[in-house]
Amino acid sequence: MSKQVLIIGAGVIGLSTAYYAARKGHRVTVLDRGTIENQNCSYGNAGLVVPSHFVPLAAPGMVALGLKWMLKSDSPFYVKPRFDRDLVDWGFKFWRAANAGHVSRSAPLLRDLNMASRACFEELAELTGNAFGLEKKGVLCLCRTEHRLEEEARTAGQARQLGLSVEVLSARQATELNPDLRLDIVGAVYFRDDCHLNPALFMAVLKQQLVKLGVKFLWETELTGWRPNGNSIAAVRTAKGDFTAQEYVLCGGSWSPVAARELRLILPMQAGKGYNLTLPKPRKLPAIPAILTEARVAVTPMGSSLRFGGTMEIAGLNEQINPARVQGIIKSVPTYYPDFTARDFDGIKPWCGLRPCSPDGLPYVGRTARFPNLSIATGHAMMGLSLGPITGKLMSEILSGERPSIDIQLLDPDRYAGLSATSRNAGGLT
Ligand SMILES: Cc1cc2nc3c(=O)[nH]c(=O)nc-3n(C[C@H](O)[C@H](O)[C@H](O)COP(=O)(O)OP(=O)(O)OC[C@H]3O[C@@H](n4cnc5c(N)ncnc54)[C@H](O)[C@@H]3O)c2cc1C
């Protein structure tokens, strides 16, 4: 049955949901407070599709590492000290989730979601003549210290058990894969299933496809509230008036909890600010994307340009550039790639985006218990691009009253409210 679906948020999650919902025959409208050129987090990310990221952010050792890094202003992770009840609550939930049991429960799901999304990207590339530059070259995790290489090798072992294609390389083997570039490393782990693409082109392709499918856009339209009617949503409120639909999907990225607050939905989330610097004419271009593991910086060739992206700064919903964080990225680059110097970044304007981070490192996807015609799709943190298409596909199944093709009970948007979603997402509502 074709339904009227209103999607709030035109990031990669909102547009992917619109795409798969429209393909199933639903009449879809996407609403965003930004303009059509919207530069939300989904445009400037590192463009990596990452089956290698099967360990959620909330993992053993992360709390200790985070506390150590917090003391250094240019470290890869930073929490701006402030008294904020939501931040304290999020930190407590993160600490509770950062255990081995949570990782072993989440890893097969994250692998399945990323691999299924990779297949969606392949399908979209085929459909559009690969207009967004999908390249299936894998990702090299470069290590400068033996300690880090041992840790990465352990992750490689887990990856192999999960059926992923992965190899531990010596420094010489890694250099052979990047013959034009010197590497100052002790070794690397090569995740062959990872891919990369140009995220801004991917967003442009999605918008073109949506226009073809008849999806309507409401740009510069901010959701300011909701009109609940009993246990369903009757309309959303905006400065341009109310908009009604049969189904609503909140894909508001880091701002989703603000948008949902009036409905008293419990959606713990912190914005994890990250930065990128893109060299339009780099002196050298790595053949394969990389993650500089100690520095937590992603390096992605995009056509003839080269993007360096990284840092996680928990500093609230603010999009101001913090120069110390940007310097942290710049300083790290020559330590792995001696062919580059800090001068290469002179005059390069940094970009920043807010990753929507749930405390357990898993997204929120599915119907809400309190308002069954309101679904949530957000909280993808460092994997929003990678998981965009599969999230859209799963949401389209849920909206169509089908059982989701992947078991996503762990992604229940009500998991912090103590309500179960099993029957809600399993075809209960049509
Ligand atoms: C430096 C960096 C590198 C990254 N690298 C990668 C990577 O390599 N691979 C990967 O998979 N992910 C990566 N990510 C993460 C990825 O970019 C995000 O997870 C993803 O973009 C989140 O998408 P989203 O659609 O949920 O949110 P967003 O892109 O933030 O979109 C949310 C939209 O909702 C709209 N909105 C919010 N509230 C309202 C409202 N009240 N009314 C109307 N509109 C509203 C906003 O205007 C916005 O357009 C990276 C992120 C950063 C910062």
Side-chain angles (χ1 to χ4, degrees):
M1 189 182 76
S2 168
K3 293 184 199 167
Q4 266 188 316
V5 180
L6 182 65
I7 293 170
I8 299 110
V12 68
I13 303 300
L15 296 191
S16 300
T17 301
Y19 175 71
Y20 286 100
R23 268 185 35 173
K24 280 198 177 281
H26 299 299
R27 290 154 287 142
V28 181
T29 301
V30 180
L31 171 158
D32 199 292
R33 62 171 170 227
T35 64
I36 190 163
E37 283 100 28
N38 199 333
Q39 286 297 316
N40 58 42
C41 194
S42 303
Y43 288 77
N45 59 59
L48 300 178
V49 177
V50 284
S52 60
H53 284 37
F54 55 85
V55 178
L57 200 56
M62 278 309 289
V63 173
L65 193 61
L67 289 172
K68 188 176 113 191
W69 276 342
M70 267 173 74
L71 304 173
K72 259 187 101 212
S73 66
D74 60 356
S75 66
F77 181 71
Y78 176 68
V79 181
K80 187 176 177 195
R82 63 195 198 280
F83 183 74
D84 175 336
R85 200 180 289 173
D86 289 345
L87 175 62
V88 173
D89 177 63
W90 185 92
F92 178 68
K93 289 184 163 72
F94 185 98
W95 172 74
R96 294 261 320 251
N99 62 67
H102 174 62
V103 172
S104 62
R105 274 190 300 280
S106 310
L109 173 62
L110 289 174
R111 172 209 52 199
D112 290 349
L113 292 170
N114 275 300
M115 288 303 278
S117 219
R118 185 187 195 274
C120 297
F121 280 113
E122 288 178 311
E123 192 193 301
L124 280 158
E126 179 120 0
L127 181 78
T128 61
N130 197 5
F132 51 92
L134 180 69
E135 295 207 48
K136 294 183 267 181
K137 292 185 171 174
V139 164
L140 277 171
C141 289
L142 305 180
C143 303
R144 296 194 70 239
T145 60
E146 292 291 349
H147 172 68
R148 188 69 212 167
L149 185 59
E150 278 164 26
E151 281 180 358
E152 285 298 321
R154 267 198 297 278
T155 307
Q158 290 169 277
R160 237 174 260 120
Q161 280 176 5
L162 287 167
L164 297 173
S165 173
V166 57
E167 217 178 317
V168 180
L169 305 180
S170 65
R172 190 179 54 77
Q173 288 170 315
T175 307
E176 278 166 11
L177 290 172
N178 280 291
D180 296 335
L181 192 66
R182 284 185 297 149
L183 297 177
D184 190 357
I185 57 168
V186 297
V189 172
Y190 187 19
F191 288 95
R192 291 179 187 277
D193 297 302
D194 288 10
C195 313
H196 68 285
L197 54 84
N198 182 317
L201 293 181
F202 182 65
M203 293 295 283
V205 162
L206 275 179
K207 280 187 263 187
Q208 282 160 11
Q209 294 298 315
L210 294 180
V211 170
K212 279 191 197 163
L213 287 163
V215 170
K216 295 197 176 70
F217 290 94
L218 296 166
W219 298 113
E220 298 179 70
T221 309
E222 178 159 17
L223 176 144
T224 52
W226 307 83
R227 293 214 185 281
N229 181 11
N231 64 353
S232 72
I233 299 293
V236 296
R237 285 190 281 123
T238 79
K240 295 182 177 172
D242 290 0
F243 292 94
T244 59
Q246 288 159 288
E247 296 271 6
Y248 302 83
V249 190
L250 177 59
C251 307
S254 295
W255 297 269
S256 303
V258 181
R261 191 169 293 153
E262 183 188 307
L263 299 175
R264 292 203 228 121
L265 299 176
I266 298 173
L267 212 59
M269 188 118 82
Q270 286 293 317
K273 196 193 301 177
Y275 299 87
N276 87 45
L277 294 141
T278 307
L279 301 180
K281 289 190 190 121
R283 57 172 77 215
K284 295 275 174 79
L285 206 54
I288 297 174
I291 293 176
L292 315 180
T293 57
E294 290 88 352
R296 301 287 211 271
V297 169
V299 184
T300 318
M302 291 182 189
S304 56
S305 67
L306 184 60
R307 177 165 295 170
F308 296 86
T311 89
M312 176 74 91
E313 180 183 348
I314 308 283
L317 285 170
N318 91 69
E319 293 174 278
Q320 278 159 9
I321 304 279
N322 177 340
R325 324 287 318 148
V326 178
Q327 280 309 314
I329 298 178
I330 294 176
K331 260 172 38 190
S332 72
V333 175
T335 64
Y336 292 81
Y337 296 124
D339 290 325
F340 285 86
T341 73
R343 302 290 315 257
D344 289 315
F345 296 91
D346 284 356
I348 301 295
K349 200 168 159 233
W351 167 96
C352 80
L354 301 182
R355 307 175 184 93
C357 301
S358 67
D360 59 5
L362 297 177
Y364 300 107
V365 181
R367 292 188 185 280
T368 62
R370 194 166 305 155
F371 303 101
N373 69 337
L374 170 63
S375 298
I376 309 283
T378 187
H380 296 72
M382 303 152 85
M383 285 182 271
L385 171 78
S386 188
L387 298 180
I390 189 60
T391 302
K393 203 170 194 179
L394 290 162
M395 268 314 313
S396 75
E397 292 162 357
I398 291 168
L399 292 169
S400 305
E402 297 164 16
R403 187 172 290 278
S405 47
I406 297 177
D407 181 351
I408 50 166
Q409 286 185 58
L410 286 178
L411 312 187
D412 182 356
D414 284 315
R415 60 187 180 271
Y416 288 105
L419 303 160
S420 160
T422 318
S423 59
R424 260 174 288 138
N425 288 340
L429 276 166
T430 49

